[in-house]
Amino acid sequence: MTKRAVIPDPVLDIEQIRKDFPLLQTPVYGKPLVYLDNAATTQKPQVVLESLYNYYTRYNSNVHRGVHFLSQQATEAYEQARKKVAGFINARHEHEIIFTKGTTNSINLVASSFGKKFLQPGDEVLISAMEHHSNIVPWQMICEERGAALKVIPINEQGELRMEAFDELLTGKVKIVAVTYISNSLGTVNPIAEIINKAHAAGIPVLIDGAQAIQHVPIDVRELDADFFAFSGHKIYGPTGVGILYGKEEWLNEMPPYEGGGDMIKNVTFAKTTYNELPFKFEAGTPDIAGGIVLGTALDYVQQIGITAIRRAEEELIQYAYNRLSAISSLRFIGDAGHRSGAISFLVGDIHPFDMGEILDKQSIAVRTGHHCTQPVMDFFNIPGTVRASFAFYNTRSEVDLLVEGIEKAKRMLM
Amino acid sequence: MTKRAVIPDPVLDIEQIRKDFPLLQTPVYGKPLVYLDNAATTQKPQVVLESLYNYYTRYNSNVHRGVHFLSQQATEAYEQARKKVAGFINARHEHEIIFTKGTTNSINLVASSFGKKFLQPGDEVLISAMEHHSNIVPWQMICEERGAALKVIPINEQGELRMEAFDELLTGKVKIVAVTYISNSLGTVNPIAEIINKAHAAGIPVLIDGAQAIQHVPIDVRELDADFFAFSGHKIYGPTGVGILYGKEEWLNEMPPYEGGGDMIKNVTFAKTTYNELPFKFEAGTPDIAGGIVLGTALDYVQQIGITAIRRAEEELIQYAYNRLSAISSLRFIGDAGHRSGAISFLVGDIHPFDMGEILDKQSIAVRTGHHCTQPVMDFFNIPGTVRASFAFYNTRSEVDLLVEGIEKAKRMLM
Amino acid sequence: MTIKEQQDAIIEDFSFFTDWTEKYEYIIQLGKDLPLIEEQYKRDENLIKGCQSRVWLHAEYKDGKIYFTADSDAVITKGLVSMVVRVLSGQSPKDIAEADLYFVDAIGLKSHLSPTRSNGLLAMLKQMKMYGMALKSREL
Amino acid sequence: MTIKEQQDAIIEDFSFFTDWTEKYEYIIQLGKDLPLIEEQYKRDENLIKGCQSRVWLHAEYKDGKIYFTADSDAVITKGLVSMVVRVLSGQSPKDIAEADLYFVDAIGLKSHLSPTRSNGLLAMLKQMKMYGMALKSREL
Ligand SMILES: Cc1ncc(COP(=O)(O)O)c(C=O)c1O
Ligand SMILES: Cc1ncc(COP(=O)(O)O)c(C=O)c1O
C-alpha cells in the first residue's frame, strides 16, 4: 500500500510496550479494550503521568521573571521542553517553537496574524478539499475579514490531492498555502515536499497541518522547508491542552502578535506598548506550564522508542488491517490512497456508520464514526460519515482480528 | 484593614489542610518552603492530582460525538465539570461557561469578539490604571484595529480607583468597561458592584477580571450582574492551561466566534459555514479535557472547605501580616487600600525589590518581585517594582513570622 | 395507556433480555420494521440534524391529542425513535410537555440522550416537548 | 591575566565562603563599592533593560583591547556585573567574543544567566560579545 521503501529498524516488542500504557489495561464492559481511536487522541505512557505528578508535587510555580527557586526550576524545565520540541522536529531555533493550546489554536494564530498583515482584498488562500475543519474555518474567517478568497485543491476518488489542479490554482494571487500532511479521515499522505517546493518557487509560504503526522512519521521542518508546522500534544502521547506552532523566524517576526497580555510584552504604557521577542511575543498569559513540560516527556518517550521504528511497526500493522478488512464482503474503503498512514475509513453495505460504531463499542472496540470534522470530504463522497479505525504503534494484529470479528458480528445484526 | 464585617465561619485547621498539598512538604535549600507567591499560581491538593491521574489512566478519550464508551465517559465528565463551574459562580446557564486557556485567553476572546461586533471608530473602552497587562493589551489591540479609544480610570495614592473620575469617564461613547475585581499588585478590592450598577444604568456591559478574586471571595455572577467574568484554573488550586470565561447568553449569542475549527461548527462547506450553539461556538478544537475535568475537582475541593471560611482565614492572616510588616522600620506599603485581599506589596528603604527577592529566596521564602505585569501601576508610583507576598488559606502565621525575619536579615545585608 | 404505563411496558419487555446482543437485535428489529413516517413528511423542515444521524419528526394535533410520526437514517436510533413515538404519540399536550422519559436510561441506552453526542434523539425529544408546550398553552 | 585566570581567581575567592550569607555579602559589597560607570554614560542608549533590574554598559576600544564600565540599579546584579567587567575588560575583541563565562555558574549564581529571568546580566554579556565580534572583524 505504501510506496516508501521500508528501512530496516529494530523490531518493537509491542506486548512489552503496551505495559507502559495504564489505560490499555483497563477493561471496558468487562472485556479488554481495543482502542482504535488514536487519531482522535492517543493514550499516555506511565512516564508522562509521572512527569505530570512530579511537576505538581515538586516544582509547580509560575514561570518567567520569578526570582525564587521553584520559579527558576519551572522556567528551566519549561524552556527545556521547548528545546526538546525544537530538536524533535529539527527547527533551526528554539524561539521558532510557540507553545499553543493545540493544532486548532496554532492554525488560528497563523490565519489571524498572518492574515492581518499579508491578506488584502483579492488575495487568495489555498487549502485542500481534505482539510480538517480546523484548517478550513480559520481561513474562512480571516478571508471574510480581509476580503480575500478561499480556494480549494480538489481530491480524486481515491482521496488523493489532484496535483495538476494544484499547479493551476497556484497563481500569483495566492498568499499562503495550508494543507494537511496526513488526512485524518482518509489516511492519505500528501506530497507536501512537492507542494512546498512548488509554492516556494512561486514565493508563497506553506503551513503544514501536522496533527496526524507528528506521531507517525519523522518530521524535519528544515528539510521540508515548511514555513509553519502545527500539531497537538494529545495526539502524540502527551497531555490535552497543549500544542505547538513551529514558524520560521522570518515570518513570525513579521507577523503582529495574536493575543495580548502578560509575558508577551516588553513595555506597557497606556500610550504605547512594545512587544516582546520570539517566542514570547506569541505566548500571552500564564502558559500551560505542566502541559509544555510533559509534552517534552512524551517526545522523549517517542524518541526513545524511535519514530522510524514506530513508523515501520504501524505501516506493517496497517497493511495487515487493510488486507484483512479487504476480505470482508460489502466493505468499501473511503479513501484508498497509494500512500496512507494512521487511519482507515470504511463503510459496510448500507449500514449507517453510527450503528456500526455502536455495535463495535458494545464489543469493547473503540472506533470513531461520523464526519471526523471533515464534512467536505463526506460531501465529496456523498456519504453521511465513515467508520474510522486509527492505529498507534501499541496496537496489535490480534486487535485487528477482533475488529474484523466485530464487524462481521455487526453485519449479522444490522444487515 | 478590611471594613467588611466578619461572618462567623468554621475555623479551618490549617495544619491539617497543609497535608493535602504535597508541594508544601517539599523542602527548598534544605529548609521548609514558605510559599508566598500564590497570586502567581497556587499549589495543588492531592485530590486534584488524583483526579488528573484517574482521567489519564481510566477514561482518557476525545470528547463530543464519540460513540464509544471512553468517549462517552470523558464527555460526561467534561460537561459535568462545566456544570460545577456554573454552580460555583452561580451562572444562570451552563452554556454561559466557556472553557478557555486562562484569564488572558478569556479576555482576549471578549476583546476580539465583542470588539469586532460592537466597536466603531470614536467608541471608547474603559479600563482602570491598576489592570494587569492581560486586561490592558487585548483592549489596546482591538481599539487600534477598530479605531476606538482606550480610557483609563485613575487611581489614588492608596491604590484605589478614583470613583469620581469613573463617573465622568462613563460617557455615552463607552461601549464596554473592563476592570479587575482585586488588584494583583496592590491587593485592592474594587467596588465592582457599584461599577456594574452605574455602567448598567448607562446601558454599558462590564467585564470583570476575576483572576485574583475567584480563590479569595465568594462569586455570584448573577447577583453581581456581571456581563463577563474571567478567571484561571491554576490560581484556584487547579491545573495550568485551563481557565473560564463566563458570559451572559445575550452577549455571547450576539458575538461572532473567536477561533474556528472542530467542535465550534454545525455545518461546514467551502461556500458557507454555520456555527454551533453556545458554549461550543467559542470552543474550537480539542479542549483541554483533563484540565477542564480537574478544574472541576479543584472547585469541589474549595467548596468542601468553604469559600467563606477561606475568606475569613485569609483576611485574618493578611491582617496579621499587615500588622507585623507595618512594624518593620523603613518598610512602606505600595497600595494601602481600605479594602484589600490576597496580596501585600511593599518596598524597604531603597533596597531594589529584585535584591530583596533574592535574599528572601535564599531563606526558602518564595515571594515575587518586579512589576507583576502591571507596569502602569509602577509608573504611577514611580518605582521599579515591588516585593509582593501573596497568600492562600494554607499559609500560616509562623510563615508570616519567617517572612518578617527574612526581611530583617535582608535589610541587614543590603542596607 | 398513560406515558408511564407505556414506558413501564417497554422496560418490562427489555427485562427479558439476558445480554446486549438480544437487546440490540430487538431495537434494530423495531428500527427496521415499519416506515415510521410518510415520505411526504421526510422533508427538510421536519429534519432534526444531529451530528451523527438524522431524525425526521412530524406532528399532528387532533381532538386534544398529539400524534407523532418520525424516522431516522440510523437503524438503532430509529428503533429508539419508534419507542419514543409509542410512548408519547396520542397523549395530551400537557402530559407530553411534562413527561419524564426515564425508559431510555432504564433500558441502558442513556448515552443516546447525551447532549454532546447529538445523534438527534435528544433534539427530537426537545422538539416533541415544544409541541406539547405550544399546544398546551393554546388550549388554555 | 587572561579571561580564564580572572575567572579562576574569582572561583578561588568564592571557595572560602562556607555559607550563602557570606557569599552574598561579598557580592553585595562588590556591588556597593565603586561607581562602575561615569554618570555621563548612564544614559538611555547604554541601557540594557531587563524585566527586573536595569544594567548600563559602556565600552571603549583602545590599543587592541576593549575596556568596559557598567552599572546596575540592583546591588546583587551590580556585584555580578563588576565581576564580569573584571573578567572581560581589557581583553582583546577576539578573546571576548570567544569567552566562555563559566564562573557565574561555578559560584552558584547561574540563575542570573537564565534567559527568561531577564535581569539584564545575560543581555549585558551578549552585548559585550557583540562588541567583541564587531571589533574583531574590524581588525581583520
Ligand atoms: C488580575 C490578573 N489578571 C489577569 C491575570 C492573567 O492570568 P493568566 O496568566 O492565568 O492568564 C492575572 C495573573 O497573573 C492577574 O493577576
Ligand atoms: C488533520 C487534523 N487537523 C487538525 C486537528 C485538530 O487538532 P486539535 O483538535 O487537537 O486542535 C486534527 C484533530 O482532530 C486533525 O486530525
Side-chain angles (χ1 to χ4, degrees), chain B residues 72 83 137 143 148-149 163 178-180 183 228 240 274 319 369 374 390 402 405:
Chain B
Q72 294 286 331
K83 208 173 278 181
V137 186
C143 281
M163 290 300 286
V179 289
T180 192
S183 155
F228 301 99
T240 61
T274 50
Q319 186 65 57
T369 64
T374 58
S390 57
L402 286 169
E405 280 169 38

Side-chain angles (χ1 to χ4, degrees), chain B residues 8-30:
Chain B
D9 280 314
V11 175
L12 299 181
D13 181 350
I14 303 296
E15 284 312 321
Q16 198 54 41
I17 281 170
R18 287 178 70 84
K19 295 193 184 129
D20 294 343
F21 293 82
L23 196 134
L24 297 180
Q25 330 302 327
T26 307
V28 162
Y29 303 127

